[in-house]
Amino acid sequence: MTGSSALLTIARDYFENIVAPAAGEIDRSPVALREALRGMGDRSLLALKVPEKWGGNPLDAGDFPEFQILAARYSGALAFLQTQHQSAGGFLAAGHNEMLQRAYLPYLARGEKLVGVGFSQLRRSGEPPLRAFPVTGGYQLTGEVPWITGRGFFEAFIIGATLPDGRALYGLVPLADDAGIRFGEPMQLIALGVTNTVKATLNRYFLAEERVVKIESAAAIHENDRHNVLHHGFYSIGCALAGLDVLREVYRQKRTESIANALERLEEDVNLCRQKMRDASEASFEEKLFLRGRAIELAGLCARAAVIASGGAANSIDHPAGRVYREALMFSVSGQTLAVMEAGLERLLSRDGRCYT
């Protein structure tokens, strides 16, 4: 068994046997969520995009999607929180600041240092929400970061701001109030509010040169989104499997033919989409985009099937069908671009009844 395969086995054991039984509590309790994140650190599962030379435990390209599916299948809240940290680790490792890399990367795998991200605003068109202006020794940042997940969990986050020439500046900023930066209260969200998503307001916040991770072209984030269009789709597949798990449990209790038929047909569709996504490395962007939309659609279908089969009990805040349904809503917009939005809407409006053409 390769190192990557062994690590995936460790992850599977942790998610199935430790996280899954506590999924309801993790969805509601920051303490439980923090403990679940710590458990990943104890198993060195928090630096899966960081090279070994920096203390990471990188998964093979074929194993990482399976890890994403596992995480989302057993706890959407934990999957969403840890992916911010995993993304930050990969971003730091790909940066140009060796001092920051030495200070953070060796400590990410075990969760000795935890870092999030806050640069989705760079995807927005029109007036940049956050601007960076060169000054002596660094940059002054003014504006807003509308979405940062992990306040109270992460010590810092990678911020993204637009320079006067249009390029994107990325820097490492403490996730705590400081001179020139203030964070709002955790947002009241319909899903995964336990992950403490906040907004930051900056007024001439000074980012020292030594805290700059890298500077890229304005187009780089959009190019990366195209290249990784399937990335968040694997979380949707995991969510779809979570819905099927609930549906399977309801069938054990009710033993009705209609639930059995729904389970069989949806499971077939999810497995087919999952395999097509795994085999899509050489596919066109349009083909990948279709699969991303299909994965989003399947997460919603499986979650709704779980709710319908569960009946009125699904209305309980503690019922797994309701939790998975809320997670399906979140994964339908996670990492969304205009193209992904259009693909998701297109699947909703499809009337031919066919899964693939």
Side-chain angles (χ1 to χ4, degrees):
M1 183 181 293
T2 67
S4 180
S5 298
L7 200 62
L8 190 59
T9 298
I10 291 170
R12 180 175 289 107
D13 177 74
Y14 178 61
F15 284 116
E16 290 181 351
N17 296 311
I18 306 298
V19 173
E25 187 179 5
I26 291 170
D27 184 60
R28 300 186 303 273
S29 167
V31 174
L33 178 56
R34 187 173 291 106
E35 184 62 27
L37 190 65
R38 185 180 297 115
M40 290 185 65
D42 291 343
R43 293 161 178 80
S44 296
L45 294 171
L46 290 173
L48 304 180
K49 292 185 174 183
V50 176
E52 289 182 3
K53 73 172 185 176
W54 288 118
N57 292 307
L59 285 177
D60 293 343
D63 286 336
F64 192 78
E66 290 305 310
F67 169 82
Q68 294 175 277
I69 290 170
L70 276 172
R73 182 174 187 174
Y74 296 111
S75 172
L78 180 58
F80 188 64
L81 184 64
Q82 66 85 37
T83 197
Q84 315 294 315
H85 176 79
Q86 303 279 9
S87 297
F91 208 85
L92 273 172
H96 311 306
N97 190 325
E98 187 172 342
M99 184 190 73
L100 282 181
Q101 290 170 333
R102 292 185 183 280
Y104 280 88
L105 292 180
Y107 307 100
L108 298 186
R110 297 191 61 80
E112 295 165 286
K113 291 189 176 182
L114 295 168
V115 185
V117 294
F119 48 71
S120 61
Q121 64 276 4
L122 292 173
R123 296 186 175 94
R124 298 188 178 189
S125 58
E127 188 71 16
L130 181 65
R131 290 186 174 276
F133 303 93
V135 295
T136 302
Y139 300 84
Q140 275 190 350
L141 278 56
T142 294
E144 292 185 345
V145 181
W147 185 278
I148 310 160
T149 293
R151 181 93 192 270
F153 295 95
F154 302 148
E155 66 177 68
F157 71 103
I158 298 176
I159 200 168
T162 302
L163 288 163
D165 63 4
R167 290 181 300 162
L169 168 78
Y170 298 89
L172 195 63
V173 174
L175 191 44
D177 288 345
D178 198 359
I181 184 169
R182 292 290 181 270
F183 295 91
E185 292 298 312
M187 299 177 189
Q188 298 299 305
L189 305 175
I190 62 173
L192 311 189
V194 71
T195 59
N196 288 356
T197 295
V198 298
K199 180 176 76 171
T201 302
L202 295 86
N203 182 21
R204 293 182 292 180
Y205 175 80
F206 178 69
L207 178 71
E209 184 67 44
E210 56 266 26
R211 303 290 290 182
V212 174
V213 176
K214 61 179 173 178
I215 296 175
E216 292 187 331
S217 70
I221 191 170
H222 303 293
E223 293 167 357
N224 187 65
D225 286 341
R226 284 181 62 89
H227 179 72
N228 294 321
V229 66
L230 281 179
H231 178 79
H232 284 276
F234 289 105
Y235 290 119
S236 291
I237 291 294
C239 185
L241 291 172
L244 293 179
D245 289 340
V246 176
L247 193 61
R248 192 173 294 108
E249 181 59 32
V250 175
Y251 174 69
R252 291 192 186 102
Q253 298 168 11
K254 297 185 177 181
R255 295 289 177 180
T256 63
E257 184 178 356
S258 58
I259 296 177
N261 289 338
L263 181 60
E264 180 180 2
R265 292 176 61 181
L266 288 170
E267 192 167 38
E268 180 180 353
D269 280 355
V270 171
N271 288 336
L272 180 57
C273 185
R274 178 182 189 173
Q275 190 58 51
K276 283 180 173 288
M277 288 171 65
R278 288 296 306 268
D279 296 339
S281 58
E282 301 301 320
S284 68
F285 174 70
E286 288 71 24
E287 291 171 313
K288 292 178 180 178
L289 192 60
F290 174 86
L291 290 170
R292 173 76 176 275
R294 180 59 175 156
I296 290 170
E297 179 185 30
L298 285 168
L301 287 172
C302 293
R304 289 199 299 276
V307 168
I308 292 169
S310 297
N315 281 319
S316 169
I317 194 68
D318 297 322
H319 198 282
R323 173 176 56 79
V324 173
Y325 182 74
R326 295 190 300 272
E327 291 171 359
L329 296 179
M330 189 282 297
F331 285 124
S332 70
V333 296
S334 180
Q336 188 186 75
T337 64
L338 177 60
V340 170
M341 180 197 74
E342 291 173 344
L345 290 175
E346 183 177 349
R347 288 308 309 164
L348 288 178
L349 298 174
S350 175
R351 297 178 181 177
D352 60 13
R354 292 176 294 174
C355 296
Y356 301 98
T357 55

